[in-house]
């Protein structure tokens, strides 16, 4: 289906989730310029078609000169003026044909120029759109790569902190074991001292 200016005006593009990229207002302004030039070309083509139709109608309505056949008795007298009378009619038809041919050629040239300009504008718009899409994809890939790199760095940092915490916990557990062992030894030593003191006191009481 042929593309029309209204198709360009009503064309909707999907919005990306990233703020980076080209200014949508600039893209809209560029598309508006395309529509204006396109409509101007279409109007010129319609005007040329109307002009060609007028020329064709005028040529069809032009009177055709009729040369009457002279009687046999007057053939010698009328023989000379006959070609002279027919010449203007032939020249008028040739001029009309030349005008129509010129108008048709101008029409074809304008149509071809308009189509070439339309194709160029469409090509530029498509190239602009492709560049926007390419830039958005590149930005998305860059953002994704940055996010993945930051994620890896964060995981590495958390792993290092976990290893440090595990080492600290292991040191605290070892400190607790050593403390409990020392405390147990101290208490056992005090109990032994109490036992020895009790035995000594019992011996002194018996001796008395």
């Amino acid at each position: 289906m042929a593309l029309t200016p209204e198709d360009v005006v009503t064309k909707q593009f999907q919005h990306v989730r990233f703020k980076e990229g080209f200014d949508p207002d600039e893209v809209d302004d560029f598309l508006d310029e395309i529509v204006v030039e396109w409509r101007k070309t279409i109007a010129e083509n319609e005007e040329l078609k109307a002009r060609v139709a007028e020329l064709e109608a005028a040529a069809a309505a032009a009177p055709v000169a009729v040369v009457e056949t002279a009687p046999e008795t007057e053939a010698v007298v009328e023989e000379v003026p006959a070609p002279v009378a027919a010449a203007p009619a032939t020249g008028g038809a040739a001029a009309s044909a030349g005008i129509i041919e010129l108008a048709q050629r101008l029409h074809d040239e304008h149509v071809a120029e308009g189509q070439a300009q339309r194709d160029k504008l469409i090509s530029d718009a498509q190239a602009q759109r492709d560049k926007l899409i390419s830039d958005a994809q590149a930005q998305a890939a860059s953002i994704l790569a940055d996010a993945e790199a930051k994620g890896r760095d964060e995981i590495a940092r958390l792993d290092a902190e976990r290893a440090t915490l595990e080492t600290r916990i292991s040191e605290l557990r070892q400190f607790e074991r050593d403390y409990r062992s020392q405390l147990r030894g101290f208490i056992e030593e005090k109990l032994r001292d109490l036992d020895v003191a009790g035995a000594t006191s019992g011996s002194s009481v018996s001796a008395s």
Side-chain angles (χ1 to χ4, degrees):
M1 184 171 63
L3 187 66
T4 64
E6 285 69 22
D7 294 333
V8 178
V9 174
T10 58
K11 177 65 177 176
Q12 297 292 329
F13 295 96
Q14 294 182 355
H15 293 282
V16 295
R17 293 180 298 172
F18 311 106
K19 293 183 179 179
E20 292 81 359
F22 291 93
D23 186 357
D25 293 336
E26 293 183 2
V27 177
D28 291 339
D29 293 340
F30 178 71
L31 293 177
D32 290 339
E33 292 178 4
I34 293 177
V35 171
V36 170
E37 293 298 327
W38 197 350
R39 285 176 175 169
K40 187 186 297 182
T41 301
I42 292 175
E44 291 176 354
N45 289 339
E46 294 297 332
E47 184 179 353
L48 286 174
K49 288 180 181 179
R51 180 58 179 165
V52 170
E54 292 177 0
L55 291 174
E56 290 177 349
V64 179
V66 179
V67 180
E68 296 181 356
T69 305
E72 294 180 359
T73 56
E74 298 178 359
V76 177
V77 178
E78 298 295 336
E79 186 177 357
V80 175
V84 177
T90 304
S96 298
I99 293 174
I100 294 174
E101 182 181 358
L102 176 61
Q104 185 64 38
R105 186 170 66 251
L106 291 175
H107 170 265
D108 294 339
E109 290 177 356
H110 278 284
V111 170
E113 182 181 355
Q115 291 176 345
Q117 186 177 6
R118 179 199 64 186
D119 294 340
K120 183 178 183 301
L121 292 174
I122 293 174
S123 177
D124 291 343
Q126 290 176 345
Q128 188 78 358
R129 182 196 62 186
D130 293 340
K131 189 174 186 304
L132 289 172
I133 294 174
S134 177
D135 291 342
Q137 291 175 344
Q139 291 173 358
S142 177
I143 292 173
L144 181 60
D146 291 341
E148 291 177 350
K150 290 179 179 178
R152 288 192 297 268
D153 294 341
E154 186 66 16
I155 290 173
R157 186 183 66 79
L158 292 175
D159 288 339
E161 289 183 357
R162 182 182 63 182
T164 301
L165 290 174
E166 289 176 350
T167 301
R168 182 60 178 167
I169 290 171
S170 178
E171 292 174 353
L172 290 173
R173 287 176 178 173
Q174 183 63 40
F175 175 78
E176 182 184 6
R177 286 193 295 269
D178 294 342
Y179 178 77
R180 286 179 179 273
S181 177
Q182 293 176 2
L183 182 60
R184 184 181 299 108
F186 177 77
I187 293 173
E188 290 176 352
E189 182 180 358
K190 291 301 180 181
L191 290 175
R192 286 194 298 270
D193 291 342
L194 289 174
D195 291 339
V196 171
T200 304
S201 298
S203 300
S204 299
V205 172
S206 299
S208 301

